[in-house]
Amino acid sequence: METYLQKLASGEDLTSIEMKQAAELLFHESTTDSEIAAVLMGLSLKGETPEEIASLVEVLRDHALSFQKKFPGVMDNCGTGGDRSYSFNISSTSAFVIAGAGVPIAKHGNRSVSSKTGSADVLETLGVSLDFSADEVEELLAENGIAFLFAPHVHPNLKQIMKVRKELRIPTIFNLIGPLTNPVELETQMLGIYQRKGLHMMAKALHQLGRKRAIVVNGAGYMDEASLAGDNHIVLLDQGNITEFTLAPEEVGLTRYPLEAIRGGNVKDNARILMDVLHGEKGPYFETVLLNAGLAVFAHGKANSIQAGIDLARESILSGSALEKLNYLVAYSNQRKVG
């Protein structure tokens, strides 16, 4: 570890091989909390590279829950958190809409980061289990087209690293990589980040991780979701090619709303908002989900334009298909608890 710490202290980037070796040492029982903190601080102070991010993610996935089956076209739509917008659970609500539009989704998530309640909090309140086994996740993806993966459950070996990260109380590389560490092998992804300067870096990391297509978005107001408040800064990764553009809600037939219009509340409030959207209640929550789900469906490639993606997202909700995906997940969870 000393060799890598010296390089980081000198402001030098680690190669992919060096980063993988350093990451493996983070899991070693002989590695101290101080060494873990020094690695995280060293990376943060010099600035993380796409190679370092991708290499760390590959090691984390090697130590995560293992899946045997592959699901063609499966994606995730998890954001990094950290935007402190205290919005409702946009990506969780959007995940059911994406699945209802026919795109398989392995929804990776955790408890609260930047909203008052995280995806795990609100889904648990709605009756979704947080401890699905690998076999159950694979069954849900095959039968329902959506499964939820609770980050601490699928990454059981990260306790010491997470303890150090929490004690540091500053952003580290782990504030960037959460959405990348989904242990299901993804082909496409919708990723939200609150740091606009990181758009290209995260797109390059996604490419190194084997994503065929992906969208990385920094929303108006520096949200880690697409926002109706103004111009969204977006990077599209398509077969290794990276294109940057901006998107305003009016360009795709949506209404501009201030960030305050999509504030969430406690876990019960956010669960109610999620259900209201899936029941088709119009307003800023509904249109925010249309925008985010539409971008994800376009990122996947099922729609050939963002507008077409939004149209499929609207149909997913109004047809009841999105709600059916949630109801199946809740019923499955209840059945396993009884059994």
Side-chain angles (χ1 to χ4, degrees):
M1 183 67 84
E2 183 180 351
T3 302
Y4 309 126
L5 289 176
Q6 287 178 345
K7 284 197 72 171
L8 292 173
S10 299
E12 296 181 56
D13 296 332
L14 299 183
T15 66
S16 294
I17 293 174
E18 288 172 336
M19 188 66 230
K20 287 181 181 180
Q21 291 171 339
E24 286 289 354
L25 288 172
L26 294 179
F27 288 93
H28 201 280
E29 59 184 14
S30 65
T31 302
T32 66
D33 287 359
S34 297
E35 288 174 321
I36 294 173
V39 170
L40 300 184
M41 284 295 297
L43 290 167
S44 180
L45 288 172
K46 76 166 187 65
E48 300 87 349
T49 67
E51 291 78 16
E52 289 167 342
I53 290 170
S55 297
L56 175 58
V57 167
E58 287 174 359
V59 172
L60 294 184
R61 293 182 75 248
D62 287 342
H63 287 266
L65 195 66
S66 178
F67 294 89
Q68 302 302 315
K69 296 179 181 178
K70 293 185 179 182
F71 295 89
V74 68
M75 75 178 306
D76 191 5
N77 71 325
C78 182
T80 61
D83 63 11
R84 300 192 180 280
S85 65
Y86 303 108
S87 61
F88 75 106
N89 296 93
I90 298 170
S91 64
S92 300
T93 312
S94 300
F96 294 106
V97 180
I98 297 164
V103 175
I105 184 158
K107 180 72 181 83
H108 191 238
N110 210 331
R111 297 199 183 275
S112 61
V113 178
S114 57
S115 59
K116 291 186 179 180
T117 57
S119 56
D121 303 301
V122 73
L123 294 179
E124 184 179 46
T125 296
L126 290 168
V128 176
S129 297
L130 302 184
D131 59 347
F132 292 123
S133 68
D135 287 343
E136 288 174 321
V137 168
E138 290 174 345
E139 182 180 348
L140 283 165
L141 285 173
E143 298 296 330
N144 192 40
I146 182 170
F148 181 68
L149 291 83
F150 182 42
H153 177 66
V154 297
H155 299 284
N157 301 312
L158 283 177
K159 291 179 181 178
Q160 183 182 6
I161 299 172
M162 291 300 101
K163 170 179 168 289
V164 173
R165 176 192 171 193
K166 187 175 181 180
E167 290 173 351
L168 282 175
R169 296 184 180 180
I170 61 168
T172 69
I173 193 169
F174 278 89
N175 292 82
L176 297 173
I177 65 171
L180 306 179
T181 60
N182 192 322
V184 173
E185 191 170 330
L186 306 176
E187 291 187 3
T188 59
Q189 190 154 357
M190 162 88 167
L191 169 62
I193 62 171
Y194 70 94
Q195 294 179 323
R196 191 162 295 168
K197 65 181 181 180
L199 285 167
H200 281 264
M201 177 178 69
M202 295 302 281
K204 290 175 181 176
L206 285 165
H207 175 57
Q208 291 193 28
L209 290 167
R211 306 295 190 270
K212 295 178 181 178
R213 277 178 62 94
I215 272 182
V216 187
V217 59
N218 174 256
Y222 292 90
M223 286 190 67
D224 73 324
E225 314 273 4
S227 165
L228 300 172
D231 286 346
N232 296 279
H233 291 254
I234 298 170
V235 162
L236 170 66
L237 169 69
D238 187 7
Q239 306 297 334
N241 298 311
I242 294 175
T243 307
E244 184 172 3
F245 60 96
T246 59
L247 180 73
E250 297 89 350
E251 295 178 57
V252 284
L254 300 176
T255 308
R256 185 173 295 226
Y257 287 97
L259 292 179
E260 293 75 21
I262 57 167
R263 282 285 178 94
N266 61 33
V267 66
K268 290 185 178 179
D269 294 329
N270 283 7
R272 176 185 52 77
I273 292 168
L274 185 153
M275 292 301 294
D276 286 346
V277 170
L278 296 191
H279 278 99
E281 183 174 310
K282 306 298 194 299
Y285 299 124
F286 180 85
E287 292 202 21
T288 298
V289 169
L290 289 184
L291 178 58
N292 281 274
L295 280 166
V297 174
F298 170 66
H300 176 271
K302 186 174 180 65
N304 59 13
S305 69
I306 296 170
Q307 184 65 67
I310 290 172
D311 292 341
L312 286 173
R314 183 180 286 107
E315 181 183 347
S316 171
I317 296 173
L318 299 183
S319 68
S321 181
L323 183 59
E324 286 177 7
K325 299 297 182 181
L326 171 60
N327 289 339
Y328 188 105
L329 201 53
V330 172
Y332 187 97
S333 298
N334 290 336
Q335 185 178 12
R336 70 192 290 269
K337 290 170 186 174
V338 172

